[in-house]
Amino acid sequence: MDLLRFATAGSVDDGKSTLIGRLLYDSKSIFTDQLEAVEATSRSRGDEYTNLALLTDGLRAEREQGITIDVAYRYFATPRRKFIIADTPGHIQYTRNMVTGASTANLALILVDARKGMVEQSRRHAFLCSLLRVPHMVLCVNKMDLVDYAQEVFESIADEFSCFAMKLEAPDLAVIPISALHGDNIVTRSANMPWYDGPSLLHHLEHVHIASDRNLVDVRFPVQFVIRPQSTSVTDYRGYAGQVASGVMKPGDEVMVLPSGFTTRIAGIDTADGPVDEAYPPMSVTVRLEDELDVSRGDLICRPHNQPTVAQDVEAMLCWMDESRPMTVGGKYAIKHTTRAARAVVRQLHYRLDVNSLHRDESADSLRLNEIGRVRLRTTVPLLADEYRRNRTTGGFIVIDETTNRTVGAGMIVEAA
Amino acid sequence: MSQPTYRVSHLDALEAESIFVMREVVAEFERPVLLFSGGKDSIVMLRLAEKAFAPARIPFPVMHVDTGHNFPEVLEFRDRRVAELGVQLVVASVPEALEAGLVRESPDGMRNRIQTPVLLDAVEKYRFDALFGGARRDEEKARAKERVFSFRDEFGQWDPKNQRPELWALYNGRVHAAESIRVFPLSNWTELDIWHYVARERVALPEIYFAHDREVVDRDGMLYAVNEHLPRRAGEESFVGRVRYRTVGDASCTAAVRSDADTIENVIAEVAATRITERGATRGDDKFSEAAMEDRKREGYF
C-alpha cells in the first residue's frame, strides 16, 4: 500500500464537504460517534440535512461562524492506498491556506458546480496548484444531478477548464462528472451517465501513477544532523543524517559536498534496520563518507556532474502570508531553505500577480496578505538551489519575520545565480 | 532485468517523515524532551526516536506527567523501556503538585485537566523549548488542524487562530525565550497505522492493550476498571469482563472496551472493523463538549 496526499479546494457551496464526507463514509473512515455528534449539532442548529462540513470544521470559531478557516487534515484508506487529504478553504482570503495544503500534495482536487461552470475561484485554484507544482489535477464537475446528468454541460466545462489548464502547464489533468450528494461516479461508475467512460473518482485516486513524480535523477541530500555516538561501544562513527530529497544514492558513488565543493565517495548508507544498497526519496537515512570532511547541517551532498546552483541572488515567486505587515522592497527577513538558514533582503519586486486574471502589476511596491509576486532576493549565505519546477524540495523556501518569528511567506525559486 | 521501482510503502513514508521531524528538532532546539505517557503512541514515538539517531543514543530526556493514577503494568513498562534505551526520565508529579498546593483536586476526582499546570511547571523548571507529543490528527477534530510544529506562548497556550503556516517540510522552530514548540511527529498516522507499525517493528506494549479479564463497572456505557483510583459508586455493580484498552491515560478517566483481541493481529482486525473512534470509546474527558479538546489545548494541554 502506498501513500497519496491530495489537497481539495472549494467552498461549502461547491459540495466539497459533502464530497469529502462521502469519501470518508464510503471508505468507512467516519465513525459512528463522529456522525452522531455531527447529526446532533446539525439538528440543534436547525439544518435541514446532516451538515458534513461539521466533521471537518473542528475549531470553535469555525463552528460558530459556519466557515472553514484553516487547513484540516483527514485520513482514509482503501486496500490499495492510504490517503491524506489537506482540506483547504477556497475563498481568496484563504489563498495562504490553499498554498500550504498544495505544497505537499501529489494531487489537487478542484470542484466546480455544474450549474455555474468555471468561475473565478476555479481559475484561481488551478493557478495556485500549478504554481505549487502539484503533479496531478482532478476537476470534479459536481451536482450533475441538477443538470439532468447532461453530457453537453459536462463537456463544455471540461473543455473550458482543459484550455485554461494547458496555459498553466498543468502536468496531468483528469475531469470527472459527479454528484457528491447522490454518490454518482464517486466510488463506482454511475448508471446515470452512461456516456462517461472514465473511472470513478475513487478509482482514479487509487490508480493515478505517482511513483514517477519523484525526481530520481538529481541526487540531492541536504544534511540535517551529524550523528556521532559518544559511547565506548560505537567508536569513530560519523554519519550524516537526512532525508533524500531526490535522486538515487548508492554506496561507492562519487559525491560532492556543497558549498565546500570537496569530492569523496559514499562509504555506506545506514538505517536503524541496517545498511541499505540504495537510498531514494523520501527515505530518511544516515550517509557515511569515505573521507573525513568538514560537513555540517545545511550542507548538501550531490553528484559532481549534477549540482544545484550555489547562489546568493535568487529569483522567486513569493506568496505573502502575514496579515500584520506587508512585504516591502528593502525588507530583511530570515529564510529557511532545505536545512539551511539564511537572511535575505528583497532587492526587487518585478510584479504582483492578480491570482484571478493573472494580470501582472509592475507598479506594485509591496505584497500584502495572500498576494503573490515575482521577487529578487539577495541572501547572506549561498543557497544550494534548484528551480522549483524541477525540485520541490531544493526549490522551495519559507520566509520568517525576524521580530515576530512568524512564517510570513512561501517562495518558489525560478532562477538562482 | 526489470526496471527498479523504488517503492516506498505508506508505513515507510510515515516513518521517514517522523524521523525527519525528530532530527529537525534535535538540530534546531537547545532542550527538547519527549512526553511519554506509556500509551502506544508515545511508545511508537520512542521507537522512532531510537531509529532516528542510531547508532547513537536518543539525545533528549523523556518526561512522564504522572497523575498518580497509574496502571501498574504501564509504570513497570516505562521503567523497563527507559533503562533499555539509557535515556534520562523526568517525572512531573501531580500528587507532589497537589501537596505543594500548585493545583487542586477537581470535584470529580479526574486529574486530566490539572496535569496541564504540572506539565507547564516542569517545562519552565527544566527550560524545555521543544516537547514531542504523540498526538495524531485523526484522533480529534481540533487536533486535525494543529501543525506538526505547534507554537506555544510563554504561558504554554495554543492559539488555533494564530498558527504559523506550515509548508513543504520546512518547519519553523524559531521561538523567543520562554516560548516553546510542541512537536507532533505522528501527526499523519492513524490508529491503524500505529498498530500496523507495532506489528511490523515488533514493538512491545503494556499487556493491558490486549484482551484480558478485569473487574469493571459500566458507567455511562463505558467500562472502567475497579481500582484504588476509581471506587465503585453507590448502586454500581462490578463484574469481570473480557476487555482491553484502546488508549492508555490516567487510570481514573480511561475506559476499557469489550474485546477478545489477545494478539497484535487480532487487535488490527478489531481496529479495522470498529465503528467508534478511540477517544469516543475510551475517554470520559472528551465527552463534555464538542470543543473539549480545543479548550484544554488552549490552556497548554498535550
Side-chain angles (χ1 to χ4, degrees):
Chain A
M1 189 157 83
D2 56 5
L3 178 64
L4 180 111
R5 296 173 198 252
F6 70 96
T8 59
S11 59
V12 180
D13 321 337
D14 297 327
K16 178 174 62 105
S17 299
T18 315
L19 175 63
I20 291 176
R22 186 160 277 283
L23 283 171
L24 297 176
Y25 192 81
D26 288 346
S27 63
K28 298 189 167 53
S29 306
I30 292 180
F31 295 94
T32 324
D33 54 323
Q34 288 175 316
L35 200 60
E36 278 168 7
V38 166
E39 280 168 352
T41 310
S42 285
R43 264 197 312 277
S44 69
R45 289 161 38 133
D47 294 341
E48 279 174 31
Y49 55 94
T50 301
N51 184 356
L52 288 172
L54 294 171
L55 275 172
T56 46
D57 292 344
L59 302 177
R60 196 180 270 283
E62 295 177 316
R63 288 164 172 270
E64 283 163 6
Q65 297 167 39
I67 52 159
T68 308
I69 295 170
D70 209 333
V71 188
Y73 293 89
R74 289 268 151 203
Y75 304 84
F76 73 100
T78 68
R80 285 192 70 94
R81 265 184 185 161
K82 173 187 162 99
F83 298 94
I84 301 179
I85 312 175
D87 182 14
T88 68
H91 291 293
I92 191 155
Q93 64 266 38
Y94 300 118
T95 296
R96 165 173 76 179
N97 295 336
M98 178 147 183
V99 167
T100 301
S103 72
T104 50
N106 306 104
L107 179 146
L109 200 155
I110 296 171
L111 266 93
V112 298
D113 185 327
R115 296 168 303 175
K116 296 179 191 154
M118 258 184 86
V119 292
E120 191 177 89
Q121 180 164 290
S122 339
R123 290 191 184 83
R124 184 172 70 248
H125 295 163
F127 166 71
L128 292 175
C129 293
S130 75
L131 182 72
L132 271 293
R133 292 277 153 187
V134 181
H136 306 274
M137 211 179 273
V138 179
L139 176 73
C140 287
V141 180
N142 191 23
K143 306 194 184 181
M144 286 299 294
D145 53 312
L146 299 180
V147 295
D148 296 325
Y149 298 107
Q151 183 175 7
E152 316 81 70
V153 174
F154 169 72
E155 280 180 355
S156 118
I157 296 171
D159 287 348
E160 192 186 353
F161 191 89
S162 304
C163 279
F164 181 72
M166 214 129 65
K167 279 191 273 182
L168 298 173
E169 305 174 70
D172 168 47
L173 173 69
V175 191
I176 304 176
I178 63 165
S179 165
L181 194 62
H182 298 290
D184 293 291
N185 287 332
I186 305 294
V187 175
T188 51
R189 291 265 299 276
S190 166
N192 292 320
M193 292 173 271
W195 45 264
Y196 171 71
D197 55 9
S200 71
L201 174 61
L202 188 62
H203 187 274
H204 181 72
L205 293 174
E206 284 185 307
H207 292 85
V208 61
H209 187 65
I210 53 169
S212 50
D213 295 340
R214 286 172 302 173
N215 177 335
L216 295 171
V217 177
D218 310 320
V219 171
R220 300 287 185 268
F221 185 78
V223 174
Q224 263 190 297
F225 183 70
V226 184
I227 293 184
R228 266 180 314 165
Q230 309 290 322
S231 90
T232 44
S233 54
V234 190
T235 50
D236 292 337
Y237 187 94
R238 189 180 173 86
Y240 303 104
Q243 188 168 25
V244 184
S246 57
V248 180
M249 306 168 79
K250 296 187 182 75
D253 281 353
E254 189 183 18
V255 289
M256 176 178 274
V257 180
L258 292 177
S260 69
F262 289 118
T263 56
T264 179
R265 283 180 189 280
I266 295 179
I269 303 175
D270 295 336
T271 71
D273 300 313
V276 292
D277 296 333
E278 48 189 11
Y280 42 88
M283 289 169 67
S284 281
V285 295
T286 303
V287 174
R288 282 178 291 111
L289 301 177
E290 281 185 359
D291 298 293
E292 269 201 34
L293 301 174
D294 176 17
V295 182
S296 56
R297 176 173 169 84
D299 291 356
L300 182 139
I301 295 172
C302 61
R303 301 295 300 267
H305 301 294
N306 179 344
Q307 304 171 25
T309 311
V310 182
Q312 282 178 266
D313 291 296
V314 175
E315 290 279 340
M317 296 302 293
L318 187 66
C319 175
W320 201 247
M321 303 189 150
D322 194 44
E323 52 262 321
S324 49
R325 273 187 279 187
M327 183 220 82
T328 50
V329 176
K332 294 188 180 70
Y333 304 96
I335 63 173
K336 186 172 180 183
H337 171 255
T338 68
T339 55
R340 212 167 164 77
R343 297 183 71 218
V345 56
V346 180
R347 280 277 163 85
Q348 207 178 339
L349 173 62
H350 300 291
Y351 57 83
R352 178 173 62 211
L353 197 68
D354 183 316
V355 290
N356 291 319
S357 66
L358 303 188
H359 173 76
R360 296 173 176 188
D361 179 0
E362 292 176 5
S363 66
D365 57 4
S366 69
L367 292 177
R368 284 169 303 170
L369 174 65
N370 294 318
E371 291 184 338
I372 294 171
R374 165 92 181 245
V375 297
R376 182 175 189 81
L377 303 176
R378 171 80 183 172
T379 60
T380 47
V381 295
L383 302 187
L384 314 168
D386 290 294
E387 284 173 42
Y388 182 77
R389 57 182 300 157
R390 186 156 178 97
N391 198 316
R392 285 169 99 185
T393 308
T394 51
F397 61 90
I398 57 170
V399 180
I400 298 164
D401 184 303
E402 293 185 297
T403 328
T404 64
N405 284 335
R406 289 177 55 83
T407 303
V408 291
M412 287 138 283
I413 294 170
V414 179
E415 202 185 330
Chain B
M1 209 179 91
S2 68
Q3 196 73 14
T5 54
Y6 303 114
R7 274 196 64 121
V8 175
S9 75
H10 78 291
L11 282 184
D12 291 331
L14 291 172
E15 181 191 66
E17 178 180 83
S18 302
I19 287 177
F20 175 84
V21 167
M22 292 186 142
R23 288 169 168 176
E24 281 298 281
V25 170
V26 169
E28 292 201 335
F29 289 85
E30 303 264 318
R31 302 168 83 89
V33 65
L34 185 143
L35 296 172
F36 186 79
S37 68
K40 63 184 185 315
D41 300 319
S42 61
I43 291 169
V44 163
M45 197 162 57
L46 203 54
R47 170 75 183 141
L48 290 164
E50 189 185 359
K51 295 185 87 165
F53 302 100
R57 281 186 176 179
I58 295 174
F60 41 78
V62 162
M63 177 157 70
H64 181 214
V65 179
D66 180 358
T67 61
H69 295 163
N70 295 299
F71 294 99
E73 300 92 333
V74 175
L75 275 194
E76 182 268 329
F77 181 91
R78 176 196 78 184
D79 294 337
R80 177 157 41 91
R81 196 72 188 110
V82 160
E84 279 166 10
L85 293 168
V87 291
Q88 186 203 344
L89 174 69
V90 174
V91 177
S93 163
V94 173
E96 280 174 25
L98 281 165
E99 203 152 303
L102 176 73
V103 289
R104 279 169 61 180
E105 198 89 72
S106 73
D108 59 9
M110 285 193 187
R111 289 180 173 173
N112 209 323
R113 202 150 192 149
I114 60 173
Q115 288 179 83
T116 302
V118 180
L119 167 70
L120 298 180
D121 192 54
V123 170
E124 203 172 315
K125 180 175 160 196
Y126 293 98
R127 292 185 290 120
F128 292 129
D129 52 3
L131 289 81
F132 289 109
R136 311 186 318 265
R137 285 174 177 153
D138 78 319
E139 278 181 272
E140 205 280 330
K141 50 194 175 300
R143 287 187 167 167
K145 304 227 161 176
E146 189 162 11
R147 306 293 185 255
V148 175
F149 271 42
S150 187
F151 176 78
R152 293 292 185 281
D153 66 13
E154 65 268 50
F155 302 103
Q157 299 181 109
W158 180 53
D159 182 357
K161 282 203 274 190
N162 196 22
Q163 300 194 79
R164 295 174 175 177
E166 198 157 78
L167 297 107
W168 300 292
L170 295 173
Y171 301 104
N172 176 356
R174 291 170 64 115
V175 289
H176 292 120
E179 296 169 344
S180 62
I181 302 278
R182 299 285 172 90
V183 183
F184 302 108
L186 304 178
S187 287
N188 288 324
W189 297 56
T190 62
E191 184 185 12
L192 204 50
D193 295 331
I194 294 286
W195 278 105
H196 281 297
Y197 192 74
V198 164
R200 187 184 90 169
E201 300 282 307
R202 296 187 198 89
V203 175
L205 294 180
E207 304 94 87
I208 64 171
Y209 274 109
F210 302 97
H212 57 282
D213 293 323
R214 187 178 282 265
E215 188 186 1
V216 291
V217 293
D218 186 327
R219 191 172 288 174
D220 310 324
M222 293 190 171
L223 299 179
Y224 289 93
V226 178
N227 57 35
E228 53 183 312
H229 313 301
L230 197 103
R232 259 176 299 176
R233 291 177 188 165
E236 270 181 346
E237 292 274 342
S238 72
F239 60 97
V240 174
R242 188 84 178 148
V243 298
R244 70 173 199 89
Y245 284 86
R246 267 178 88 184
T247 67
V248 168
D250 182 276
S252 66
C253 70
T254 307
V257 293
R258 279 194 177 81
S259 173
D260 286 317
D262 52 359
T263 62
I264 293 179
E265 290 68 32
N266 292 342
V267 170
I268 288 174
E270 184 186 281
V271 170
T274 188
R275 305 302 306 134
I276 303 179
T277 61
E278 59 180 11
R279 295 196 81 85
T282 65
R283 291 300 175 92
D285 49 328
D286 284 344
K287 286 216 153 174
F288 296 125
S289 87
E290 279 278 33
M293 176 64 87
E294 180 182 344
D295 293 345
R296 270 183 288 137
K297 287 187 84 72
R298 282 171 178 274
E299 293 168 5
Y301 187 71
F302 305 116

